[in-house]
Amino acid sequence: MKNTTIEAQTAIVGGGISGALSAIILAREGVDTLLIRKGYGATAMSSGCISSAGFSDWLALRGIPSPSAQIEQAFRTFGRLMEEMSLPFTASSPNESAYLTISGTKKRAELLPFSNGGGSLETLVNGSTLIVGIEGLKGFNVSFLSKALRHYLGEGTSISEQIISLPFLKRRANFSQPELALLLDNPKMAGDFIATVSAQIKDDFTHVLFPPILGMDKHLLVMTDLQLTIRALCVEAIAKIPSSTGIRLQKALNRALSQSGVRILHGCIDAYQQQGDKLTSVQFQDKAGQKTVKADSFILTSGSFIGGGLSYESQLREEVFGLPVQVKGENSDSAASNSLLNEGFSARQPLLSAGIEVDESFHPVDRSGIPLWSNLRAAGSVIASPVDSERWSGLGFGIGSGYLAALSTLSAMS
Amino acid sequence: MVDSYQVIVIGGGITGAGIARDCAMRGLKTLLLEKNDFSSGTTGTCMGMLHGGRRYAVKDPEITKLSCDESGIIQSIAPHLIFRIPWLIPIHQDDPKPLEKYQEILDRYDELGRAKNSPPHIFLSPAETCEIEPSITVPIKGAFTRDEPGVNVFRLVLANIHSAIEVGATALNHHKTIAIIKEGKRITGVIAEDTITGEKKEFRAEIVVNAAGPWTPTITEMAGVEFKLRPTRGIHIIFDRRLTATAVSCASVSLLPHESTTICGLTDEFFPYPPDDARSRPDEVEYLLASVETTIPSIRGARIIRTMAGVRPIIDQPGKDERDLSRDYQVFDHEERDGVKGFVTIAGGKMVIYRKMAEDLSNLVCEKLNHPVPCQTADIPLYGGDYSGSLEEKAHHLSKQYDLPLHTTLRLTSRHGSRAGDVLKILETAPAQASNICECEPVTEAEIRYSIQHEWARTLDDLRRRTRMGTGPCQACHCTAGATQILSEERSLSLEQSFHEMDQFLQERWKGRFPVLRGVQVKQEELIRAVYQAQDEWE
């Protein structure tokens, strides 16, 4: 086993949406950036729909001037990046538009993957919609979704259902959505799929609603071909776990990372070194031996529980640096464990909003509000949420805080 | 028009279901009413063991003997629902009690328990014990073995109800008895409310049987009769998988591999409150973990997925300690006791002797109705238990016939026995119904639909009891949406009603999760909330 030391200007811990976005921004500004990750987390499981609600609440509570301008800049940066990566997003107004999820619920967001973005309920109401299901595909119940659409759009709206059998599927049951999306990356299967769909669509529809299965890496291509053949607006219902749209988003971020020249290392940090008020290096083991990453600045974007940034056994813990964890402004060790959770499922659950606290430059702070290290910043859902978890919208918070943490790192360098 | 019966049984736990089957088999026109779902009360929170109760072998040998005899009968009438639980009783090095003392009790237990079909106990050296159960890492003198049969109690209740209905009974779940009709000194019927539709119905009967378990006093009160129980509450914690090869006695609690999980229990505490309010407390969870830790120190690292709490309907014996109260049962004739005609109560008892309890109660009913037909419940197989050959063969056959994973058909046959083929018939015309709705168990769409159409599942929680859907480590993260959509279709629910059903189920599952939420399970909780809460709306 050998010890390797790697140097970088900035090292980022975590490769979800906040870590990837801040790494890409820094790298594109010419900063030598390195990203350490241990696998996929919440970003790859998400619906890919991005809402600013949680981040805007967070900024407002901190008295930050012109929060909406900051959010707009962050979202615009993210939008341009995804456009470049062949995963365009559609802007929407949450006050005006809502979209159907595969659970039959409605969702509102500012940015939606373009495959979702064309299908707002407000546009469906004046058209005629066909819902297409696939025999053997799980988690997409055509008759239930048709019931939901009828409920939202009113009885008079034209809604049709069609379940198609795909000739290339040998099994007749138990297909998951990401599995089918991956199959449609194969041009032959995509061709068969499009031919089968178009052969079975007899009438004219303005919209055809599909499960979120329209390709993975070749998503844009599959969507384009489908659209050209069917001559109706093809949209996907918003995904739930396991989510093709979340995986597409994570993969687009991965492409952007490598195209921006960010070096990526895989490992789980188990030690760190500090000097004075600075963090100097982090360490982890991989197959080749021990790796030490030295950097001038660090950004912690390790996520909450799913991502592995936080854990809760008998106490709440921040996993990488052991930073103090807060629950709704309270210190977690003073909050009695029975006040962390409530008996009502949909009541507020403080445990799930827990995280670390940061100052206005995104430096993690100790109990008295003093930054722990002058060159460590944090972004994404490792940060404590002051609002209910369902208002949090991790993707939107990841983009906003990742963007601002990167800017803060940049300005400290100049 | 008012529906008339000879017998109305209130309470759809194992006792009520057993009585309904017994009365119906004797040719009585019988109605079973359950306020929530069949086996949703005390029965649904028991450990599922068909044992004699080793701790009663000396102080209550008659109950032990009866339990073992009845265990043998259930094994023969419902073989598909039975599984074997090998058991270790490790004796700690510093245990002051001489081995002979244990030996004596176990000899007695073996003697009383012949009908239970279990091999007699043996004593294992520390090395042998370690070979069988390496997680026992504390110093021991050795371990005694025992061998107990286990049963799927939810399916045992359903099998009784299916059998009752085959011979003409009617069974209604989600029908809460809200009044007892009394004419002078005679009970002549009940008024029940369908708790899902809100509809109130009147049912008449010659005899009303109160088999309401811990809710017994609520029913007697409606009849104007005073009745007192000494209810005790017991809790269990449930781990995500089978942690040990055998069940292990640890201090005074047990760690028991059960289906795809491990159950740890139990506690015993006086509970003079409404049975619906039974919950687990953190200190009780700690007590159970600390007890297991004395024998299996690694238990703290295991993943707890939930807790459950239930209330035992124990007959009051003033002056006795909770653990010393007899598990014996008693049949009360309120005509004799209180001068109220047409009303009988059964209280106390244990799951394993339900059949005998039902027999005694039905004997009284027959005597009162002057209907001299003998009990047949011990000789005729329960629904699904009428087959020859092995279940494994049946599962292999179904797996080939419908191109299903063997794991799926093995689990299916363990629930449905000889009727497993009925569940899968739909796959001939709708092959996509072979998709799993619940991944942890696994449960197919075909079985979910069958449960709704043929097994009176009206809510998601009903489906959970019948199929084990939502009981695995993901704790209903992946099945809830799919099952809601099927239920919505089968019951023609509106969107509001569908999401209401879903919310109820999410709340019910959360009730058991939150007292023990920690570790890996917190990640799972985030996932569940990402699926069911994340900024979605449906109005």
Side-chain angles (χ1 to χ4, degrees), chain A residues 139-324:
Chain A
F140 193 80
N141 184 319
V142 171
S143 83
F144 187 77
L145 292 178
S146 152
K147 182 183 286 187
L149 268 190
R150 250 177 266 281
H151 177 88
Y152 298 133
L153 304 180
E155 284 301 327
T157 327
S158 159
I159 297 158
S160 313
E161 303 166 23
Q162 174 91 52
I163 293 178
I164 61 169
S165 306
L166 295 178
F168 55 84
L169 297 184
K170 295 278 177 285
R171 272 184 283 135
R172 279 280 167 264
N174 269 330
F175 281 94
S176 78
Q177 293 165 17
E179 188 180 7
L180 204 50
L182 278 169
L183 287 179
L184 293 191
D185 276 352
N186 174 321
K188 167 90 179 62
M189 290 187 187
D192 281 358
F193 170 75
I194 294 170
T196 312
V197 174
S198 72
Q200 295 200 26
I201 299 184
K202 309 277 187 309
D203 301 308
D204 279 343
F205 296 97
T206 57
H207 293 81
V208 184
L209 182 74
F210 288 94
I213 52 144
L214 302 173
M216 192 67 88
D217 292 341
K218 306 275 178 60
H219 177 48
L220 189 56
L221 204 63
V222 175
M223 284 290 288
T224 313
D225 284 354
L226 188 64
Q227 199 92 51
L228 287 173
T229 313
I230 293 181
R231 302 189 167 281
L233 191 61
C234 296
V235 293
E236 291 183 316
I238 290 173
K240 296 281 184 181
I241 301 159
S243 158
S244 316
T245 36
I247 299 170
R248 283 177 200 142
L249 169 59
Q250 182 69 65
K251 287 185 149 193
L253 290 167
N254 296 351
R255 290 198 294 277
L257 280 169
S258 68
Q259 284 177 24
S260 311
V262 176
R263 284 179 286 161
I264 298 177
L265 295 176
H266 293 270
C268 192
I269 290 164
D270 48 34
Y272 61 85
Q273 285 75 38
Q274 58 180 340
Q275 200 164 47
D277 74 335
K278 281 189 162 35
L279 186 65
T280 53
S281 59
V282 293
Q283 281 168 334
F284 61 91
Q285 303 281 336
D286 67 8
K287 271 180 270 176
Q290 193 181 54
K291 291 226 159 43
T292 301
V293 174
K294 284 189 174 167
D296 302 331
S297 58
F298 295 82
I299 307 181
L300 178 69
T301 58
S302 48
S304 58
F305 297 99
I306 291 174
L310 302 174
S311 70
Y312 176 65
E313 272 299 337
S314 53
Q315 283 211 321
L316 270 158
R317 244 186 74 80
E318 185 282 306
E319 288 284 272
V320 181
F321 300 112
L323 303 172

Side-chain angles (χ1 to χ4, degrees), chain A residues 105-126:
Chain A
T105 51
K106 295 195 282 191
K107 200 173 179 80
R108 297 170 187 277
E110 271 97 354
L111 282 178
L112 296 103
F114 78 110
S115 62
N116 303 132
S120 80
L121 297 173
E122 291 66 27
T123 61
L124 298 186
V125 76
N126 297 316

Side-chain angles (χ1 to χ4, degrees), chain A residues 1-24:
Chain A
M1 293 302 232
K2 58 173 188 190
N3 281 352
T4 322
T5 301
I6 304 147
E7 296 192 13
Q9 279 179 285
T10 303
I12 288 164
V13 182
I17 195 160
S18 56
L21 184 65
S22 51
I24 293 159

